[in-house]
Amino acid sequence: MSTGSIQARAEGWLGNNDVRLLVALALAIGGLYALFSVVLGFQLNGTVNTLRRVAFLSAIYAMLALALNLQWGYAGLFNLGAAGFMAIGVYTMGILTAPVTASPPGFGLPLPVAIVAAILVTGVVGGLAALPAIRLRADYLAIVTVAFSEIVRLTLRAPEFANTRIAGVAFGTGGATGLSLPPNPIRILFYTDPAATAPAPNALGAAMFSAVEPLGIEQTLVIGWAYVVVLCLCLGLLYWLMIRIGKSPFGRVLKSIREDQQVTQALGKDTRLFKIKTFALGCALMGLIAILWRLSGGYASPRMFKPIQTFYIFIALFIGGTGSPTGSIVGGALFASLLFEGPSFVRRVVAEYLQLSNAPDTLVGALAELGTLDITPLLAYSVQDVSISALRLMLLGIVLVYLMQRHPDGLLGHRKAIASSVDLSQQATREDDNE
């Protein structure tokens, strides 16, 4: 039996059990941050809040990576404007749900109606943006989409649209100040009047709050974890949807376009139409995920949708491996837990136990001391609050370079979904075994 066949059978027994892999990853990340909490001396409330934030960001970035994987991993569409389409979804929902008498005013629609409308608007805008851009090659498509994203962000930030009236209809984006969003919808499960300043708990809320009160866990954490559970359910639904799309005839056409567009056209497929549909669907999903993200905080601002946000999603996708739905979840969870949140916790651990002081004001000053083989100034500079963003970007760059050299396909890139309905490599392996 060949080495390749042994590896294929091992992956079939262990590697393809994606649920086991994802559960193990979640337990490992949870255990790591529970250890961080113990080391930093957190109380139970602080530990639970830490785990909630990590789980929340992991679910969000996993869903965003899945949506981007539909465009880039399946169809090969290099969309660098993800942040712009996320902003369109969030702001459309916010404007539609804002009361008519608010400042800036809105349309006062119910939240479910506004969410559906925002998804449709984001998908339509994505489809319209794809019409001229889809004719371009990957690098030019990236330039067009990132430019479109910046146009959207700067338009939302412009004071002319902060509180305006068009065709007799008053509405506004809030400008640079931002836009207030509806309160967390999950609060309706725990309060009789979720919109009230000091709402009274209903039967379920009273039971849950009284159960966790002796443990010192706040009510907001109960609501936060309930929202995380909803996000995980949405993640599971989106994961199932991506797998179904990948195995459908539509998905196989997308993957054939990714591999060789000219051959796909020669087979009679309208590749341009397939690209537009995929681009619009991916953008609509990004708008929905952004709505789920910002509803937890009840606020949106243009600075939340800078191009760096798109870069984060691509890093998450590259870590897990393009073309693999399971890889998208793995990459999103690893990015959010280790690369996005990790540096701040490492800083706190280092600052807690090394007692560093007299940090240099600049990175040049910190690096200058390395000539004397003294790394203390560099550590002191790195663990400052103002240095965390720079440290995060440096770490992202290091990880990206390592992946490009050692794992150019990502951690699960070897499991990229193929275009044909039959895996010819596995068929060849079975033929070798028979011989």
Side-chain angles (χ1 to χ4, degrees):
M1 183 182 296
S2 64
T3 304
S5 62
I6 295 176
Q7 181 180 4
R9 291 188 177 184
E11 288 185 354
W13 178 76
L14 178 62
N16 287 335
N17 194 340
D18 295 341
V19 175
R20 184 183 305 176
L21 172 64
L22 297 178
V23 170
L25 177 63
L27 292 177
I29 293 174
L32 175 64
Y33 276 90
L35 179 62
F36 273 142
S37 301
V38 172
V39 171
L40 293 173
F42 287 175
Q43 299 295 327
L44 180 60
N45 189 77
T47 301
V48 173
N49 186 46
T50 298
L51 295 176
R52 180 206 61 81
R53 175 170 172 78
V54 173
F56 174 83
L57 290 175
S58 297
I60 288 294
Y61 276 104
M63 287 192 287
L64 288 171
L66 280 171
L68 186 61
N69 184 62
L70 175 64
Q71 297 175 334
W72 173 243
Y74 280 1
L77 299 174
F78 199 9
N79 178 16
L80 280 181
F85 296 106
M86 292 167 61
I88 292 174
V90 171
Y91 270 82
T92 301
M93 182 273 298
I95 293 173
L96 292 178
T97 55
V100 179
T101 57
S103 179
F107 294 88
L109 296 179
L111 180 60
V113 176
I115 291 177
V116 173
I119 295 172
L120 294 176
V121 168
T122 309
V124 170
V125 173
L128 293 176
L131 287 175
I134 216 70
R135 301 173 180 268
L136 305 175
R137 298 200 310 267
D139 47 355
Y140 293 106
L141 176 61
I143 295 172
V144 170
T145 51
V146 73
F148 176 81
S149 174
E150 279 297 273
I151 291 173
V152 170
R153 186 179 69 85
L154 294 177
T155 301
L156 296 174
R157 188 176 182 271
E160 292 81 5
F161 295 99
N163 195 337
T164 187
R165 181 181 295 271
I166 297 179
V169 179
F171 68 96
T173 64
T177 305
L179 185 67
S180 296
L181 302 179
N184 191 334
I186 207 70
R187 290 168 59 91
I188 197 173
L189 297 178
F190 301 96
Y191 297 110
T192 55
D193 185 9
T197 306
N202 55 23
L204 176 61
M208 294 293 294
F209 298 153
S210 60
V212 300
E213 185 177 2
L215 302 176
I217 298 177
E218 300 175 355
Q219 296 182 9
T220 54
L221 279 185
V222 177
I223 298 172
W225 266 109
Y227 197 75
V228 169
V229 171
V230 173
L231 288 181
C232 291
L233 293 176
C234 294
L235 174 60
L237 180 61
L238 183 59
Y239 177 63
W240 173 82
L241 177 63
M242 291 298 105
I243 291 179
R244 296 297 299 173
I245 289 177
K247 293 181 178 180
S248 68
F250 178 81
R252 290 198 292 270
V253 172
L254 296 183
K255 287 173 281 188
S256 66
I257 293 174
R258 176 195 65 199
E259 301 298 336
D260 196 321
Q261 181 172 338
Q262 292 182 346
V263 172
T264 308
Q265 289 176 336
L267 294 175
K269 302 297 182 181
D270 187 352
T271 58
R272 185 169 175 267
L273 182 59
F274 275 91
K275 285 184 175 182
I276 293 174
K277 289 180 180 179
T278 305
F279 200 86
L281 178 58
C283 292
L285 290 174
M286 291 175 187
L288 172 60
I289 298 165
I291 291 172
L292 296 175
W293 188 352
R294 300 318 316 168
L295 273 178
S296 64
Y299 173 75
S301 171
R303 66 175 180 271
M304 298 174 178
F305 304 101
K306 294 181 178 180
I308 189 66
Q309 186 61 58
T310 302
F311 176 71
Y312 287 160
I313 304 171
F314 265 102
I315 289 291
L317 183 59
F318 289 157
I319 291 174
T322 59
S324 170
T326 304
S328 299
I329 297 180
V330 170
L334 290 178
F335 168 80
S337 59
L338 301 183
L339 299 181
F340 192 82
E341 285 292 292
S344 61
F345 277 87
V346 172
R347 177 196 66 81
R348 297 171 69 174
V349 171
V350 172
E352 177 75 18
Y353 287 91
L354 295 185
Q355 301 296 328
L356 301 175
S357 59
N358 300 324
D361 296 331
T362 63
L363 179 60
V364 175
L367 293 175
E369 299 296 329
L370 292 179
T372 61
L373 302 181
D374 184 10
I375 65 171
T376 304
L378 180 59
L379 286 176
Y381 175 82
S382 301
V383 298
Q384 296 181 100
D385 289 335
V386 296
S387 303
I388 289 300
S389 297
L391 180 62
R392 182 183 293 120
L393 290 177
M394 292 175 59
L395 183 60
L396 288 175
I398 293 172
V399 170
L400 186 59
V401 170
Y402 173 80
L403 287 175
M404 292 300 101
Q405 290 184 344
R406 299 292 185 178
H407 301 280
D409 294 329
L411 298 179
L412 297 180
H414 64 285
R415 296 173 58 185
K416 177 184 292 187
I418 59 175
S420 62
S421 58
V422 178
D423 192 342
L424 300 180
S425 62
Q426 293 184 0
Q427 185 176 1
T429 301
R430 287 194 294 268
E431 291 177 355
D432 292 340
D433 294 341
N434 293 333
E435 293 178 358

